Amino acid sequence: MSDIVDVEVLENGCAIRVVWQDGRAARFHAVWLRDNALDPETRAENGQRLITVNAIPADIAVDGAAVRGDVVEISFRPEAKTVCFPATWLAANAYDHGADTFAGRLPEGAVPWDGSFEPERVTQPFDAVMTDDGALADWLGCVRSYGFARLTGGPTESEALLRVVERFGYVRETNYGKWFEVRTEVNPTNLAFTGLGLQAHTDNPYRDPQPTLQILYCIENSAEGGESLVVDGFAAAARLRDENPQGFALLSCHCARFEFRGQDGVRLRSRRPMIELGPDGELVAIRFNNRSTAPIIDVPYDQMAGYYAAYRHFAEIIDDPAMAPAFKLEAGESFIVDNTRVLHSRRAYAGEGTRWLQGCYADRDGLYSTLAALEEQERTAAQ
Ligand code: OGA
Ligand code: ZN
């Protein structure tokens, strides 16, 4: 695939057309090629671009293009500049394909799941993830594919969850602190700090941006009940879209509102949709939390009844046991969710024993960055 057999200048130099050995072809615009040139005057050694888009002549054109071994050599006018692009680089960065604009489609690499999903598939021993880069990469890869992963056999001590985050990224500190205690409290600031059951939710939709990762780490769990459940919010949104396209459109095209005012001096508010789509229809984020949904006032009067019917339908899908694998966290076990995608819930607990979890937030950029670096390292080692 990587060998180029032909290159042709199109439209008086506005673009080129490259043909690879396997018959695949792709067009590239002159301005795009100039902007992405790989020469040292355009790109610093650290990979950052040295030029601005407005420094490129508006009438930039390809003056000539030729295949030279495994690179394509391109000269531009009026700049009189010649640069080379490796055939593999052009193949990896080709954009000459139809854009997928299907509303509610999954992001690349996301694998949807339902209640039949076995948490064991995404579970690793704590020590392996702490000490072995391969195990860490596998575990982080589960977060990327499924938005959910678990650890077993960790220490049953306070703050062990911070060691997990430090392995791939950074804690997001909030008004709840660097981490927070999840156990029954007198005068709780949040209903999570009671023995009540919690409907499946994403955490902190009242923040903008919402935390993109959450870890819940169990230190003690001898109480009756308190099982954890997780729901793939992207799968739930896709199901809503299939069962009720109009409802899906209402939840994705209008902003909901979220608020937290449980602590003195804290008034967190956001205005964002329950189902957020990118400009090309890709699922970006789910925000769903019965406890912190504020009065919704951005839906026109004549659409509010429909909006609420859609909200109810989405909640019914989220509450459907067929969507949610359940498990009980043992002491020393923890799980991580992509909080823009996977909802978590807890059954009520009571009785003699103690239930003590700690929670914290982190962000996905750090996790994805560590994963990409580990994968690059693995590829280099394999060569
Ligand atoms: C939370 C939460 C669930 C649990 O603290 O965000 O949802 O299992 N807790 O206690
Ligand atoms: Zn929660």
Side-chain angles (χ1 to χ4, degrees):
M1 150 81 227
S2 60
D3 287 343
I4 290 178
V5 287
D6 190 31
V7 59
E8 172 192 2
V9 178
L10 307 175
E11 301 166 52
N12 206 18
C14 281
I16 61 166
R17 182 168 181 272
V18 167
V19 183
W20 283 269
Q21 207 163 33
D22 65 357
R24 223 178 77 160
R27 293 166 297 173
F28 296 89
H29 291 91
V31 66
W32 186 96
L33 290 164
R34 178 64 194 91
D35 192 36
N36 289 297
L38 300 163
D39 65 295
E41 284 161 13
T42 309
R43 288 271 174 186
E45 222 171 298
N46 62 17
Q48 293 205 301
R49 184 180 281 96
L50 292 158
I51 63 162
T52 60
V53 69
N54 46 328
I56 300 173
D59 57 349
I60 188 84
V62 172
D63 209 31
V67 182
R68 305 235 185 276
D70 54 5
V71 304
V72 173
E73 188 185 84
I74 293 172
S75 50
F76 294 99
R77 61 166 195 267
E79 256 186 317
K81 187 174 180 69
T82 300
V83 297
C84 288
F85 290 94
T88 46
W89 188 94
L90 289 169
N93 291 286
Y95 59 91
D96 191 5
H97 43 72
D100 192 349
T101 55
F102 181 57
R105 73 200 160 80
L106 291 169
E108 201 185 325
V111 182
W113 46 270
D114 62 17
S116 64
F117 186 76
E118 289 169 359
E120 287 69 30
R121 273 178 63 185
V122 294
T123 304
Q124 291 260 6
F126 181 94
D127 284 341
V129 166
M130 283 299 136
T131 55
D132 182 272
D133 280 356
L136 176 64
D138 285 351
W139 194 69
L140 301 179
C142 291
V143 181
R144 186 174 54 196
S145 303
Y146 307 109
F148 167 57
R150 279 195 325 178
L151 290 176
T152 50
T156 52
E157 63 195 34
S158 177
E159 294 167 57
L161 80 173
L162 301 181
R163 287 175 54 196
V164 181
V165 178
E166 282 157 13
R167 190 79 172 105
F168 65 75
Y170 305 91
V171 166
R172 165 124 55 120
E173 197 167 344
T174 69
N175 55 294
Y176 300 117
K178 208 165 172 177
W179 79 93
F180 47 91
E181 308 289 358
V182 187
R183 56 185 169 190
T184 303
E185 287 180 359
V186 185
N187 298 325
T189 55
N190 192 305
L191 294 177
F193 313 149
T194 68
L196 294 174
L198 303 173
Q199 186 183 33
H201 59 278
T202 59
D203 257 47
N204 295 198
Y206 39 78
R207 291 183 207 286
D208 190 3
Q210 78 217 87
T212 48
L213 294 174
Q214 179 175 11
I215 291 186
L216 282 168
Y217 193 106
C218 178
I219 299 175
E220 214 178 322
N221 202 359
S222 52
E224 188 118 343
E227 295 84 0
S228 306
L229 294 97
V230 282
V231 179
D232 182 355
F234 283 178
R239 190 173 144 190
L240 180 69
R241 182 202 59 215
D242 293 345
E243 292 177 3
N244 181 356
Q246 276 178 332
F248 177 86
L250 285 166
L251 294 190
S252 54
C253 296
H254 294 288
C255 280
R257 296 220 180 192
F258 302 95
E259 185 178 35
F260 176 81
R261 45 186 300 118
Q263 266 171 277
D264 281 347
V266 179
R267 295 290 180 268
L268 288 158
R269 292 184 183 124
S270 77
R271 178 182 175 274
R272 286 282 175 263
M274 292 200 199
I275 299 173
E276 183 179 350
L277 303 180
D280 56 1
E282 183 185 66
L283 280 164
V284 168
I286 303 299
R287 292 179 187 78
F288 190 89
N289 193 316
N290 69 302
R291 282 168 288 148
S292 54
T293 303
I296 295 166
I297 55 175
D298 300 287
V299 179
Y301 178 85
D302 53 5
Q303 295 191 43
M304 187 58 90
Y307 184 91
Y308 257 87
Y311 178 22
R312 176 189 300 275
H313 192 164
F314 195 34
E316 283 165 357
I317 292 171
I318 284 166
D319 283 347
D320 180 353
M323 296 297 285
F327 53 95
K328 184 161 178 170
L329 284 174
E330 304 288 334
E333 293 186 349
S334 57
F335 69 88
I336 183 170
V337 283
D338 177 338
N339 188 51
T340 65
R341 168 178 173 188
V342 172
L343 301 85
H344 59 283
S345 76
R346 165 187 87 201
R347 294 198 179 119
Y349 69 92
E352 288 293 287
T354 306
R355 186 177 190 274
W356 178 22
L357 270 54
Q358 289 183 330
C360 74
Y361 303 112
D363 282 308
R364 222 173 37 183
D365 56 348
L367 187 151
Y368 280 6
S369 161
T370 302
L371 177 56
L374 287 169
E375 286 175 339
E376 210 173 293
Q377 196 176 299
E378 269 173 25
R379 270 197 305 274
T380 318
Q383 273 165 14

